[in-house]
Amino acid sequence: LERVAGPPSEPIPAPTGAEPPMVPEEAPEPEHAIEICLLGGFTLAVNGTRIPDAKLTQRNVKAVLSMLAAAPGHKMPRVRLIEALWPGIDFITGMNRIYQTATRTRNLVRKIDPSYDPIVLVRGEGSISLRGTEVRCDVDAFAYAAQEAMVFEGNDQKVVEAVQRLGDIYLGELYVAPQDTSGMMRDRLRETRRIYADVMVLGSEAALRLGRRRQAAHFAAAAETADGSREDVVCALIRALKASGRFDE
């Protein structure tokens, strides 16, 4: 369930005449789980029940959870989290705030399901993380779908299917906690935007080769919405629109 979030690896070339490498199967997701979504805005849900946003602003729950969801491996040194969210305060005060946030988060989650404990505080490491066996994040599904599309480059049908899955996951730009003074979440937003545009261009080209002109234009337009300043994105959109006979556009 816990997958390291981050940019997908470089595409793995397939030997001539061979099938593309197999993408590792995702770990089966539990029927019930804590879900943290950052794409298109922040949401927290427990077993499908969304916790109201007004409750998440207390004790910095929203800020801390969004930082952990965006961090590689959903884990951060506590001192780094303190410096990012509360710059200038002393370490002891910062640690107290982290404990208050963890307690508030547990209380909110356990009102819905008392078996959950989503926050892990490791004293020896001085770290804070999300519990991977209980928490799933949309950024992980996004990273998996993006890598899947790139791994299957050369198999247009599988690429298009993976790009469609990515499009279903990407509901909008990654939420950035306004309290984050480190720039980590802003960097992750830019990274996610870049990956989305990369994969949508890849999908547009694959769809064109399959003769799916409308789908190619749809993928290219999605890439253009994410980053219309890129030359490859503009070229992909022009090719798709020309193939669709939409010369005026």
Side-chain angles (χ1 to χ4, degrees):
L1 221 205
E2 186 176 29
R3 298 183 291 276
V4 177
S9 60
E10 290 296 318
I12 304 171
T16 304
E19 287 293 319
M22 291 295 293
V23 175
E25 290 186 5
E26 291 183 281
E29 294 185 339
E31 185 176 346
H32 302 289
I34 301 166
E35 295 179 276
I36 298 176
C37 295
L38 297 181
L39 299 172
F42 181 93
T43 61
L44 173 64
V46 180
N47 298 345
T49 300
R50 180 172 173 176
I51 296 177
D53 198 66
K55 294 184 178 181
L56 301 175
T57 57
Q58 301 172 18
R59 301 294 185 185
N60 302 286
V61 170
K62 185 174 181 177
V64 169
L65 290 182
S66 62
M67 290 284 288
L68 292 176
H74 309 310
K75 183 177 182 179
M76 294 181 69
R78 279 176 273 181
V79 65
R80 183 179 162 205
L81 183 63
I82 292 168
E83 290 171 350
L85 296 181
W86 308 292
I89 70 168
D90 64 89
F91 182 72
I92 299 301
T93 302
M95 288 297 296
N96 286 335
R97 290 188 183 182
I98 284 180
Y99 286 128
Q100 290 169 3
T101 300
T103 299
R104 174 65 178 169
T105 303
R106 290 187 183 110
N107 289 341
L108 288 172
V109 167
R110 287 173 173 173
K111 283 182 179 179
I112 299 172
D113 191 323
S115 68
Y116 286 143
D117 186 7
I119 302 290
V120 179
L121 293 168
V122 182
R123 290 184 181 275
E125 292 182 5
S127 66
I128 179 172
S129 63
L130 299 176
R131 192 176 300 278
T133 54
E134 297 178 357
V135 182
R136 62 189 185 207
C137 303
D138 61 347
V139 290
D140 293 339
F142 173 89
Y144 184 90
Q147 180 163 351
E148 189 179 39
M150 292 183 178
V151 165
F152 281 123
E153 187 172 3
N155 186 326
D156 291 337
Q157 180 59 41
K158 288 187 177 295
V159 167
V160 166
E161 291 171 358
V163 174
Q164 287 177 313
R165 285 191 288 276
L166 186 79
D168 291 339
I169 296 165
Y170 189 86
L171 302 180
E173 292 211 319
L174 184 133
Y175 170 79
V176 175
Q179 298 94 328
D180 176 24
T181 62
S182 69
M184 184 271 285
M185 293 200 71
R186 182 66 58 182
D187 289 343
R188 189 66 192 274
L189 180 150
R190 286 191 287 264
E191 175 189 62
T192 303
R193 183 190 294 156
R194 174 187 60 78
I195 293 169
Y196 180 71
D198 285 347
V199 174
M200 286 296 155
V201 167
L202 183 67
S204 179
E205 293 169 347
L208 268 185
R209 288 191 292 269
L210 292 171
R212 302 176 183 175
R213 295 183 292 273
R214 290 182 61 185
Q215 190 173 44
H218 172 73
F219 288 157
E224 194 269 340
T225 299
D227 190 349
S229 65
R230 285 175 40 172
E231 183 178 354
D232 62 330
V233 169
V234 175
C235 289
L237 183 58
I238 290 172
R239 284 193 297 269
L241 291 175
K242 281 185 175 180
S244 301
R246 295 157 63 180
F247 298 103
D248 293 341
E249 296 179 63

